[in-house]
Amino acid sequence: MRRAASIAVFGAAGSVLLSSCAGSPSLLDSHGARGADITTLWWLMFWIAAAVCVIITILLIWATTRARSRPAEPDLHAAGGTSLVLWGGAIIPAILLVGVFSFVLKTMVAEAGVHDPGPITIKVIGHRWWWEFDYMKQHVDTANELHVPAGRAVTLKITSVDVIHSFWVPQIQEKTDAIPGRINTVAFQANKVGTNLGECAEYCGMQHANMDFLVVAQPPAEFQHWLRSQQKPAPVPKTALQEAGQQVFLGSACVYCHTIKGTNASGNVGPDLTHFAGRKSIGAGILPNTPGNLAGWIANSQSIKPGNAMPPMDISGNKMQALLAYMETLK
Ligand code: CUA
């Protein structure tokens, strides 16, 4: 009865663990130049551990079944007992551990040696709780969406303005700490065209779990097109409603924290909104970027993502409609 119950408990725990993985990016499905090495290392360690586990289990079963037919006080030195302990307990584990350790070192050295700077250098800045991506030479500053050319290396300079965060794209690259006052320079390469989820991997406070970003790997020509479009200032409002919305933005506290290139708004506390409408999410992955969600976010982002730096804004009715119409033009 107890056995059946414990099997049920383990089964339930296992299925909860496995189901929580569904839909998450797996580091075993690697799309990056560096991720592949780590995946190989992971599988090597998995198969060694699995083999050790199987051998130990077989020995245990063998020992327990054999013990029943033996005298109460067995002679430990009979049948090579001491040498079995020496080999199984010291020599073989030492060989395995040293072997795995040298493979880990080899992988680490190979990772550290990836230094193909390429023409694109992106400063990655962790904020509580969002990511800023500053394409330094191209004068493009965006948030929570890292665009890169597929198959080409870019250089990331990873840092933070407040606490320690960790930049992690499970399918492309290992974790790199984002540390205030320090810049960690790494090469970054997505091998496949596509969108990958990245996340903060270092506990950084209340909204640590809501600090996601997307890595959009584009064909190089498409990436260059994206970069050029991002370099342009925000489009000029075309309709009276959009114009009114721009006045709402420029006449409110928004300008102290946000930049919209081509206008007087030049704050740098929150994300640069020059091309905000082209992004897929708001609040660093917490909501899809739709007018309804944006209205809720502007009115009171604290109810959506408590503790974030944006205060509730007293903008309602017609003013909010105009502001939303304007924000949608920021492509
Ligand atoms: Cu930033 Cu966790």
Side-chain angles (χ1 to χ4, degrees), residues 127 129 131 164-166 200-204 208 211:
H127 294 255
W129 289 277
W131 295 94
I164 300 176
H165 304 272
S166 179
C200 179
E202 176 77 39
Y203 181 70
C204 55
H208 157 67
M211 198 173 156

PDB file of all heavy atoms in Angstrom, residues 127 129 131 164-166 200-204 208 211, ligand 1:
ATOM      1  N   HIS A 127      18.057  46.465 -16.369  1.00  0.00           N
ATOM      2  CA  HIS A 127      17.380  47.412 -15.494  1.00  0.00           C
ATOM      3  C   HIS A 127      16.375  46.612 -14.676  1.00  0.00           C
ATOM      4  O   HIS A 127      15.901  45.581 -15.121  1.00  0.00           O
ATOM      5  CB  HIS A 127      16.568  48.438 -16.308  1.00  0.00           C
ATOM      6  CG  HIS A 127      17.366  49.366 -17.163  1.00  0.00           C
ATOM      7  ND1 HIS A 127      17.582  50.682 -16.832  1.00  0.00           N
ATOM      8  CD2 HIS A 127      17.979  49.193 -18.364  1.00  0.00           C
ATOM      9  CE1 HIS A 127      18.288  51.273 -17.784  1.00  0.00           C
ATOM     10  NE2 HIS A 127      18.552  50.389 -18.727  1.00  0.00           N
ATOM     11  N   TRP A 129      12.793  46.312 -14.256  1.00  0.00           N
ATOM     12  CA  TRP A 129      13.029  44.944 -14.667  1.00  0.00           C
ATOM     13  C   TRP A 129      12.785  44.877 -16.158  1.00  0.00           C
ATOM     14  O   TRP A 129      11.705  44.515 -16.605  1.00  0.00           O
ATOM     15  CB  TRP A 129      12.095  43.989 -13.911  1.00  0.00           C
ATOM     16  CG  TRP A 129      12.472  43.872 -12.468  1.00  0.00           C
ATOM     17  CD1 TRP A 129      13.439  43.048 -11.955  1.00  0.00           C
ATOM     18  CD2 TRP A 129      11.941  44.567 -11.355  1.00  0.00           C
ATOM     19  NE1 TRP A 129      13.514  43.200 -10.582  1.00  0.00           N
ATOM     20  CE2 TRP A 129      12.612  44.135 -10.194  1.00  0.00           C
ATOM     21  CE3 TRP A 129      10.957  45.559 -11.208  1.00  0.00           C
ATOM     22  CZ2 TRP A 129      12.335  44.623  -8.920  1.00  0.00           C
ATOM     23  CZ3 TRP A 129      10.688  46.038  -9.940  1.00  0.00           C
ATOM     24  CH2 TRP A 129      11.371  45.561  -8.810  1.00  0.00           C
ATOM     25  N   TRP A 131      15.230  45.041 -20.217  1.00  0.00           N
ATOM     26  CA  TRP A 131      16.552  45.030 -20.859  1.00  0.00           C
ATOM     27  C   TRP A 131      16.653  46.127 -21.900  1.00  0.00           C
ATOM     28  O   TRP A 131      15.752  46.313 -22.716  1.00  0.00           O
ATOM     29  CB  TRP A 131      16.786  43.683 -21.565  1.00  0.00           C
ATOM     30  CG  TRP A 131      16.866  42.537 -20.627  1.00  0.00           C
ATOM     31  CD1 TRP A 131      15.833  41.712 -20.265  1.00  0.00           C
ATOM     32  CD2 TRP A 131      18.030  42.061 -19.932  1.00  0.00           C
ATOM     33  NE1 TRP A 131      16.288  40.763 -19.384  1.00  0.00           N
ATOM     34  CE2 TRP A 131      17.625  40.959 -19.165  1.00  0.00           C
ATOM     35  CE3 TRP A 131      19.362  42.474 -19.888  1.00  0.00           C
ATOM     36  CZ2 TRP A 131      18.508  40.246 -18.358  1.00  0.00           C
ATOM     37  CZ3 TRP A 131      20.240  41.763 -19.091  1.00  0.00           C
ATOM     38  CH2 TRP A 131      19.814  40.658 -18.332  1.00  0.00           C
ATOM     39  N   ILE A 164      22.553  43.079  -9.766  1.00  0.00           N
ATOM     40  CA  ILE A 164      23.089  42.069 -10.681  1.00  0.00           C
ATOM     41  C   ILE A 164      21.934  41.310 -11.341  1.00  0.00           C
ATOM     42  O   ILE A 164      21.056  40.779 -10.663  1.00  0.00           O
ATOM     43  CB  ILE A 164      24.014  41.084  -9.934  1.00  0.00           C
ATOM     44  CG1 ILE A 164      25.190  41.827  -9.301  1.00  0.00           C
ATOM     45  CG2 ILE A 164      24.526  40.005 -10.894  1.00  0.00           C
ATOM     46  CD1 ILE A 164      26.090  40.937  -8.462  1.00  0.00           C
ATOM     47  N   HIS A 165      21.939  41.315 -12.668  1.00  0.00           N
ATOM     48  CA  HIS A 165      21.010  40.497 -13.444  1.00  0.00           C
ATOM     49  C   HIS A 165      21.858  39.459 -14.176  1.00  0.00           C
ATOM     50  O   HIS A 165      23.087  39.480 -14.099  1.00  0.00           O
ATOM     51  CB  HIS A 165      20.248  41.346 -14.465  1.00  0.00           C
ATOM     52  CG  HIS A 165      19.510  42.506 -13.873  1.00  0.00           C
ATOM     53  ND1 HIS A 165      18.231  42.403 -13.397  1.00  0.00           N
ATOM     54  CD2 HIS A 165      19.875  43.799 -13.674  1.00  0.00           C
ATOM     55  CE1 HIS A 165      17.828  43.587 -12.934  1.00  0.00           C
ATOM     56  NE2 HIS A 165      18.813  44.457 -13.089  1.00  0.00           N
ATOM     57  N   SER A 166      21.211  38.573 -14.906  1.00  0.00           N
ATOM     58  CA  SER A 166      21.978  37.634 -15.713  1.00  0.00           C
ATOM     59  C   SER A 166      21.285  37.438 -17.055  1.00  0.00           C
ATOM     60  O   SER A 166      20.093  37.138 -17.119  1.00  0.00           O
ATOM     61  CB  SER A 166      22.098  36.291 -14.979  1.00  0.00           C
ATOM     62  OG  SER A 166      22.817  35.377 -15.776  1.00  0.00           O
ATOM     63  N   CYS A 200      16.019  36.748 -17.545  1.00  0.00           N
ATOM     64  CA  CYS A 200      16.985  37.090 -16.511  1.00  0.00           C
ATOM     65  C   CYS A 200      17.171  35.850 -15.656  1.00  0.00           C
ATOM     66  O   CYS A 200      16.206  35.234 -15.225  1.00  0.00           O
ATOM     67  CB  CYS A 200      16.482  38.250 -15.672  1.00  0.00           C
ATOM     68  SG  CYS A 200      17.636  38.694 -14.362  1.00  0.00           S
ATOM     69  N   ALA A 201      18.440  35.484 -15.405  1.00  0.00           N
ATOM     70  CA  ALA A 201      18.707  34.239 -14.688  1.00  0.00           C
ATOM     71  C   ALA A 201      19.377  34.476 -13.342  1.00  0.00           C
ATOM     72  O   ALA A 201      20.033  33.600 -12.804  1.00  0.00           O
ATOM     73  CB  ALA A 201      19.565  33.320 -15.557  1.00  0.00           C
ATOM     74  N   GLU A 202      19.234  35.692 -12.815  1.00  0.00           N
ATOM     75  CA  GLU A 202      19.811  35.975 -11.494  1.00  0.00           C
ATOM     76  C   GLU A 202      18.734  36.713 -10.708  1.00  0.00           C
ATOM     77  O   GLU A 202      18.215  37.727 -11.177  1.00  0.00           O
ATOM     78  CB  GLU A 202      21.051  36.873 -11.658  1.00  0.00           C
ATOM     79  CG  GLU A 202      21.695  37.325 -10.375  1.00  0.00           C
ATOM     80  CD  GLU A 202      22.528  36.227  -9.724  1.00  0.00           C
ATOM     81  OE1 GLU A 202      23.201  35.482 -10.460  1.00  0.00           O
ATOM     82  OE2 GLU A 202      22.475  36.118  -8.485  1.00  0.00           O
ATOM     83  N   TYR A 203      18.408  36.202  -9.525  1.00  0.00           N
ATOM     84  CA  TYR A 203      17.317  36.828  -8.778  1.00  0.00           C
ATOM     85  C   TYR A 203      17.636  38.297  -8.507  1.00  0.00           C
ATOM     86  O   TYR A 203      18.675  38.616  -7.941  1.00  0.00           O
ATOM     87  CB  TYR A 203      17.072  36.093  -7.454  1.00  0.00           C
ATOM     88  CG  TYR A 203      15.937  36.718  -6.703  1.00  0.00           C
ATOM     89  CD1 TYR A 203      14.630  36.590  -7.163  1.00  0.00           C
ATOM     90  CD2 TYR A 203      16.162  37.494  -5.575  1.00  0.00           C
ATOM     91  CE1 TYR A 203      13.583  37.201  -6.516  1.00  0.00           C
ATOM     92  CE2 TYR A 203      15.119  38.113  -4.916  1.00  0.00           C
ATOM     93  CZ  TYR A 203      13.825  37.961  -5.387  1.00  0.00           C
ATOM     94  OH  TYR A 203      12.797  38.584  -4.752  1.00  0.00           O
ATOM     95  N   CYS A 204      16.725  39.175  -8.939  1.00  0.00           N
ATOM     96  CA  CYS A 204      17.019  40.605  -8.890  1.00  0.00           C
ATOM     97  C   CYS A 204      15.878  41.392  -8.274  1.00  0.00           C
ATOM     98  O   CYS A 204      15.752  42.588  -8.490  1.00  0.00           O
ATOM     99  CB  CYS A 204      17.327  41.115 -10.296  1.00  0.00           C
ATOM    100  SG  CYS A 204      16.022  40.740 -11.471  1.00  0.00           S
ATOM    101  N   HIS A 208      11.719  39.713 -10.877  1.00  0.00           N
ATOM    102  CA  HIS A 208      12.766  38.937 -11.557  1.00  0.00           C
ATOM    103  C   HIS A 208      12.174  38.003 -12.617  1.00  0.00           C
ATOM    104  O   HIS A 208      12.709  37.855 -13.715  1.00  0.00           O
ATOM    105  CB  HIS A 208      13.556  38.147 -10.507  1.00  0.00           C
ATOM    106  CG  HIS A 208      14.268  36.949 -11.027  1.00  0.00           C
ATOM    107  ND1 HIS A 208      15.334  37.056 -11.894  1.00  0.00           N
ATOM    108  CD2 HIS A 208      14.063  35.626 -10.827  1.00  0.00           C
ATOM    109  CE1 HIS A 208      15.756  35.826 -12.191  1.00  0.00           C
ATOM    110  NE2 HIS A 208      15.006  34.955 -11.569  1.00  0.00           N
ATOM    111  N   MET A 211      11.153  39.477 -16.474  1.00  0.00           N
ATOM    112  CA  MET A 211      12.224  40.237 -17.099  1.00  0.00           C
ATOM    113  C   MET A 211      12.678  39.473 -18.344  1.00  0.00           C
ATOM    114  O   MET A 211      13.835  39.156 -18.518  1.00  0.00           O
ATOM    115  CB  MET A 211      13.359  40.425 -16.084  1.00  0.00           C
ATOM    116  CG  MET A 211      14.305  41.540 -16.457  1.00  0.00           C
ATOM    117  SD  MET A 211      15.484  41.864 -15.148  1.00  0.00           S
ATOM    118  CE  MET A 211      16.783  42.601 -16.148  1.00  0.00           C
TER     119      MET A 211
HETATM  120 CU1  CUA B   1      16.927  40.749 -13.532  1.00  0.00          CU
HETATM  121 CU2  CUA B   1      16.430  38.740 -12.429  1.00  0.00          CU
END
